[in-house]
């Protein structure tokens, strides 16, 4: 029997979202229905609403979520009814060329649910990142469910489903930050601050936060930044070199995704340093760098996909670190809201007033 629930829908490009009745089918083979407890409001959801991802409207928004498994379909063995899970958008296939060479974090054929959730009139919905979690129940592929310790509240744990994992992974997985290294993070929103927290966790001793907003720089200090640079007022590259004995940092992370910021990150690193792009650029953006500089500086230039994470490995680990008081997930939660407040949360996000608004489904 299908479920009739309430969810947040974007019907057309740029239009305000609406709370509507959503029909969630019983799970088919390999699928699961999850009772969503909490879901973070991510920039990616705003990009969907504004047509920046694709034009497959209407969208069921939300993807950064945690909850409990309500039902599973045939053949599901990785989770069971009642399991507490974080949803992820990288359900590895185990068979593609990346998986075959043991690099599951790069899986090129990740799974989504085969069935569609719909509006009450039968209109098929496109779930954001294959999840769609601004809703009381959602249908996903079972591989999109990662079982974690239920002692971690959904308001915190759910954030690992996207932005926090992207930032932490950019520092630890992609950037390979090591003890005693220096790190610069450009852009101190949710992803950038998560990269700072990840660098702190990895043992970096000099962590330089760069932004144009002093309020965000103050947030960055809470997550472990040892230095801050307002790049609207100060030359960021010069300031970073000044804080690193003139050399530059071992790892420079662009959490903005803008050519001018990436260029700053490129020149702010030490010889043989690593540059990591985790901020998402728009399709029209281009960058030009002297090829001799690319060669002469050595090191590596890397893109970070979802923090190069493997949810089955990384989510439980970070939840455990959170429970030990070693990873500050709660500090990313600026406010908790209800389904009716998502449009206002988008406005706050656009103005840079919050790290994360989190939709709580019992509010």
């Amino acid at each position: 029997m299908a479920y009739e629930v309430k969810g947040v829908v974007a019907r057309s490009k740029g239009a305000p979202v609406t709370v509507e009745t959503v029909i969630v089918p019983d799970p088919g083979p390999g699928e699961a229905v999850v009772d969503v407890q909490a879901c973070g409001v991510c920039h990616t959801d705003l990009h969907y609403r504004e047509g920046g991802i694709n034009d497959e409207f209407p969208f069921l928004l939300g993807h950064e979520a945690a909850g409990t498994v309500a039902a599973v379909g045939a053949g599901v063995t990785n989770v069971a009814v009642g399991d507490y899970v974080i949803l992820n958008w990288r359900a590895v296939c185990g068979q593609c060329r990346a998986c075959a060479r043991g690099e599951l974090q790069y899986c090129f054929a990740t799974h989504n649910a085969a069935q569609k959730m719909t509006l009450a009139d039968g209109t098929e919905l496109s779930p954001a990142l294959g999840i769609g979690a601004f809703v009381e129940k959602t249908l996903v592929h079972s591989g999109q469910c990662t079982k974690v310790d239920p002692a971690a509240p959904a308001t915190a744990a759910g954030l690992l489903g996207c932005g926090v994992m992207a930032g932490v992974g950019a520092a630890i997985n992609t950037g390979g930050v090591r003890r005693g290294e220096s790190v610069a993070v450009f852009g101190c929103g949710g992803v950038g601050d998560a990269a700072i927290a990840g660098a702190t966790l990895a043992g970096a001793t000099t962590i330089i936060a760069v932004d144009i907003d002093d309020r965000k720089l103050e947030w960055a200090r809470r997550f472990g930044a040892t230095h801050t640079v307002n790049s609207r007022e100060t030359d960021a590259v010069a300031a970073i070199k000044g804080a690193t004995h003139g050399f530059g940092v071992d790892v420079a992370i662009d959490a903005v995704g803008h050519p001018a910021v990436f260029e700053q990150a490129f020149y702010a690193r030490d010889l043989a340093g690593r540059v990591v792009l985790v901020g998402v650029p728009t399709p029209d953006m281009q960058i030009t760098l002297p090829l001799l500089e690319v060669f002469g500086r050595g090191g590596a230039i890397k893109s970070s996909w979802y923090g190069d994470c493997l949810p089955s490995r990384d989510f439980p680990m970070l939840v455990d670190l959170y429970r030990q008081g070693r990873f500050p997930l709660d500090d990313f939660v600026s406010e908790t809201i209800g389904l009716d407040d998502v449009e206002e949360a988008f406005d706050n996000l656009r103005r840079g007033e919050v790290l994360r608004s989190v939709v709580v489904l019992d509010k």
Side-chain angles (χ1 to χ4, degrees):
M1 183 179 70
Y3 307 89
E4 187 173 298
V5 297
K6 295 297 182 183
V8 175
V9 174
R11 282 187 170 267
S12 60
K13 182 177 180 178
V17 299
T18 52
V19 178
E20 306 202 25
T21 298
V22 174
I23 307 302
V24 181
D26 274 332
E31 296 175 341
V33 170
V34 175
D35 287 322
V36 180
Q37 295 179 11
C39 183
V41 180
C42 176
H43 264 106
T44 302
D45 295 305
L46 182 57
H47 291 329
Y48 271 107
R49 196 207 73 169
E50 295 180 344
I53 306 294
N54 58 54
D55 60 357
E56 296 172 3
F57 291 92
F59 292 111
L60 177 59
L61 299 181
H63 60 279
E64 209 176 63
T68 55
V69 176
V72 296
V76 172
T77 59
N78 65 306
V79 291
V81 172
D83 283 350
Y84 179 63
V85 296
I86 298 172
L87 299 182
N88 72 79
W89 45 271
R90 176 159 283 166
V92 300
C93 74
Q95 298 175 333
C96 71
R97 58 196 187 279
C99 290
R101 63 177 179 245
E103 295 180 324
L104 281 69
Q105 70 274 20
Y106 298 133
C107 179
F108 301 140
T110 56
H111 292 304
N112 292 317
Q115 300 183 87
K116 288 287 190 179
M117 294 177 278
T118 68
L119 295 173
D121 64 3
T123 301
E124 290 188 349
L125 291 164
S126 298
L129 289 177
I131 293 176
F134 290 154
V135 66
E136 293 164 327
K137 293 180 186 289
T138 192
L139 176 75
V140 295
H141 190 279
S142 66
Q144 293 177 283
C145 301
T146 302
K147 186 177 178 180
V148 297
D149 191 328
T155 49
L159 300 184
L160 292 173
C162 187
V164 170
M165 186 68 253
V168 173
I172 295 177
N173 295 334
T174 314
V177 175
R178 299 185 289 266
R179 293 188 303 276
E181 288 196 315
S182 55
V183 178
V185 176
F186 294 79
C188 300
V191 174
D193 282 347
I196 290 168
T200 302
L201 193 62
T205 51
T206 300
I207 304 173
I208 306 165
V210 182
D211 205 287
I212 59 174
D213 186 333
D214 285 332
R215 173 180 48 189
K216 289 186 176 181
L217 292 172
E218 188 57 37
W219 293 346
R221 286 195 177 274
R222 295 208 317 252
F223 292 98
T226 58
H227 301 68
T228 59
V229 178
N230 186 321
S231 57
R232 191 191 296 276
E233 302 169 353
T234 304
D235 183 313
V237 175
I240 289 167
K241 289 191 173 182
T244 54
H245 309 288
F247 298 124
V249 290
D250 297 302
V251 182
I253 299 172
D254 174 3
V256 178
H258 188 279
V261 176
F262 184 86
E263 186 172 343
Q264 288 179 321
F266 177 82
Y267 284 110
R269 64 177 174 139
D270 196 359
L271 293 175
R274 289 94 76 195
V275 179
V276 176
L277 175 63
V278 65
V280 181
T282 58
D284 59 306
M285 290 179 176
Q286 297 187 28
I287 189 164
T288 301
L289 292 169
L291 192 57
L292 185 60
E293 288 284 346
V294 176
F295 172 78
R297 287 175 175 268
I301 298 175
K302 299 182 176 184
S303 298
S304 185
W305 298 347
Y306 199 5
D308 292 342
C309 80
L310 186 58
S312 60
R313 174 195 66 198
D314 294 338
F315 289 4
M317 173 193 70
L318 289 169
V319 165
D320 285 348
L321 290 171
Y322 162 73
R323 292 196 59 235
Q324 295 167 20
R326 297 167 61 191
F327 189 68
L329 271 174
D330 289 327
D331 289 348
F332 289 95
V333 181
S334 301
E335 60 177 357
T336 57
I337 61 173
L339 286 174
D340 292 328
D341 304 317
V342 168
E343 186 64 33
E344 182 180 352
F346 282 151
D347 290 338
N348 293 337
L349 188 64
R350 190 185 293 107
R351 292 191 296 265
E353 295 178 354
V354 293
L355 278 176
R356 275 297 184 271
S357 303
V358 178
V359 176
V360 177
L361 274 296
D362 63 357
K363 287 183 75 72

